[in-house]
Amino acid sequence: MANLDAVIEAVQASSKYHSVAPEFVGKVAAEELSKRPKLKEAIKATKNRLHQVAGAYLSAPPDYAAWLARLESANDADERRVVCRALMQMHASSRERLPILDDFYHRILADIAPVHSVLDIACGLNPLAIPFMLLADGATYIACDIYTDLADFFNQALPLLGVAGSALAVDVTQTIPQQQVDLALIIKAIPCLEQVEKGIGSSLLKRVQADHVLVSYPSRSLGGTTKGMRATYEAQFNELVAGQGWTIRRYDFSSELAFLVTKD
């Protein structure tokens, strides 16, 4: 226990990981200590895994105060969209979606719109896409991610984006939010989450309390590799939903493969 506390403390002393939810750091640290009991090695391995799961997607340390000020200064819906697009450039996952953003949600959600409630799992900067979604007036949006400062930002930003709701810092590999919603979003998150908890993709799909679940996968790695990724991820997804009797709609975009699961 002393070594585990020491690893958690050392990792959270880093500016890059100080705002990661403690329970998530603890889970990863415990696993790394079980494989390499030397403190220095366990600290390094824990930081490496946190980088792979989340840290690699941020191009620079977020200046959330400045981001909030930019959203507050937007005078109308068009200006908010411009600001949101600019901010989404800061995260690799959301940046990849920008060329298809105008089409992505409209194509996928057209048959179930208007959406009154959303749960966004491992959200990253995805809530900034709210102005591009087909949400009902007065919709509720619940966002969750492992970063406490990101949750703080979205708790202030969600009203500016025209929705009610809240943001939570939570490790979904241990705690799956149980709010009943029209739509759950698991956007390009399952491959990362599976690095922390094998089988979490299946567990999320079964346990999330949503009428519809939008699951997507990247068509290329952060390093630009594309070979075989679509086929691999489609096969993985088909394993997750096998035997469930759910209705599945498939959507193919230039940078992303998406599935809308309807829990009949």
Side-chain angles (χ1 to χ4, degrees), residues 148-163:
T148 57
D149 54 356
L150 179 66
D152 291 341
F153 166 69
F154 276 125
N155 275 320
Q156 298 175 80
L158 288 177
L160 300 173
L161 298 172
V163 296

